[in-house]
Amino acid sequence: MGKRLLFGSEARDKMLEGISLLEQAVISTLGPRGRNVCFDRRTSHPVITKDGVSVAREIKFSNPYMNTGASMIKEAAENTNAVAGDGTTTTVLLSSEMCKAGVKLVAAGKQPTELQKGMDAACADLIEKIDDYKMSVRSDKDILSIATISANNDPVVGGVVHQAFSMIGEGGIVDLQDSHTKSKETTIEFTDGLEFPRGIEDGRFATDKRTEKFELENANILILGFSPVLEDLKDILNYCIAKGRNIVMIAPEYDEAVVSMCVNMVVTRQCKFACIGAPGVGAYNQEEQLKDLAVMLGTKVIEHPDDIKDFVTEMKKIEDQKDAGPFGRCERISSSKFKTVLQGGAGDDDAIQARADEIEEEIKKGQADKNLGISEEEISVMRKRIARLTGGMATIYVGGLSATRIKELRDRYEDAIHAVQAAISDGIVPGGGCTLLKAARDLRNEIRDYPNDSYRAGYEMMLDICRIPATLIIQSVSTDYAYIISDIEHNSKKEYGYDAKAERIEKDMFKAGIIDPVKVEKTALAYSTSVAGIFITTECIITDELENISLTANDEISERTDFSYGDIQ
């Protein structure tokens, strides 16, 4: 099959058609008055959702140029969702508007690479300015407000998420599952659990292709303190294939041949298998966190390739599939690209507490003796490790009267959980688009030098686009939106804003509970700027050449025709 090429403004304009349609669908879910989107699943029930990233995932165009443009925006939304867990609608809105404005500036003669530099500089300044408006999560009320707002202002969903977070300790985890009970009610179950920010090494390990997650119950877990090669693992892999035993391996790094072999075992359905990265940064920190995992899971870290022989000897003694032998064990493991959650580890409670006490003793020694060279940052990491070891896990089982309703509710719960987690980790800012609006105002009032006109245009374009989220939200509830936007911009109080749900000016957005996680705001802005900069500097797009092939059994295959947009509507 040949290739078709499109250049310059013609390529960007065609890609922009797909971007504009994607934006139109996704931003219909924006704000407290946002609407649902329904999409057809021919093989199952229709899906109704207000989750921006779910809507974006569903959109594909037959026109390859339109689809390429939309796919760029979808990637930014997916990355925001993976990092912050929320803010995908804002990402689609910002990135689409940046692309539209950027195309106009390029058409007006501005230099694309200088535009991009100006956009990047404005993004960095905006992210820094957002910190001026942030506060820490101060109370359960803040958690309730974040959860409720992120769940499309659903007080029931917000209340359940608030209850789950209030019952777990610092460092605890909230997970989500579909309910399979006859009552159709949403319930919460509390167990032991642990989470760390590393995930599966290859997307083909995922057992759920929609969420791109690997999930396994009663998992057997192998923990390695070194980066294995295929020769190190041959006995263990052969055992897994022969016994049909499902294995999860956690190691610092993986040889490419190891990952390929394990993926092949999954693809050929010989067993369920996943390679997951080890938590921690730096050799010592990673080693200690692997030991934490081992204690939680009731196993030991295999620290050197020579130690595998002893492990294999113990492994071959296993007679009952229910017996974990030398493997670690947990009731359930869930792992995405960036995060792994372990639930119900088989570790002994006394051993876990002893490990936590050991870490606490290290902290005390470091604080008492500065000559040990333990920094405040390292002490902070140690405290987080203690919290992970001793914190609990709440699992919300989402119930509903139909599969469609459960799916729609689950999207709301996911948004609420991720938003609360982001708020706890990085703090909160006034919501409703007001923080971006004011941050842009602050930068506009500052005097600065620009290296050239194109750079300046890119910088100022970013400040203008930061007004759009607040404008759209307020415009959806009030015809006086221009006056309200101007009022907010001219008010010097950081907490001053607008309550779109109540349709009134709010003097203290924090007290009113109209707040957004800092992490969500920053992540959405960063990924939007990145993808828009790439789009503006794109000069050529290459796609597969279309072939017109007859599908009638007795007809000859027709000759290839010239490419026409009319063929791919």
Side-chain angles (χ1 to χ4, degrees), residues 202-256:
D202 192 294
R204 288 171 291 180
F205 289 126
T207 54
D208 187 331
K209 301 303 180 185
R210 185 185 71 84
T211 60
E212 298 180 342
K213 286 183 179 179
F214 169 83
E215 295 181 332
L216 183 64
E217 294 183 354
N218 299 318
N220 300 291
I221 301 176
L222 173 67
I223 302 179
L224 303 175
F226 61 96
S227 301
V229 295
L230 200 55
E231 181 66 23
D232 299 328
L233 301 171
K234 62 179 183 180
D235 290 335
I236 295 175
L237 297 181
N238 286 333
Y239 171 83
C240 295
I241 294 171
K243 300 292 185 180
R245 202 170 180 92
N246 301 323
I247 302 291
V248 174
M249 184 161 51
I250 300 175
E253 300 291 341
Y254 292 91
D255 183 74
E256 187 176 335

Side-chain angles (χ1 to χ4, degrees), residues 503-536:
E503 300 182 27
R504 64 169 182 247
I505 287 289
E506 190 59 61
K507 293 182 178 179
D508 193 329
M509 299 284 274
F510 291 109
K511 285 185 179 178
I514 306 166
I515 47 184
D516 285 332
V518 173
K519 188 174 185 178
V520 170
E521 296 260 348
K522 289 183 175 181
T523 306
L525 184 62
Y527 280 115
S528 297
T529 306
S530 175
V531 74
I534 292 169
F535 173 81
I536 291 168

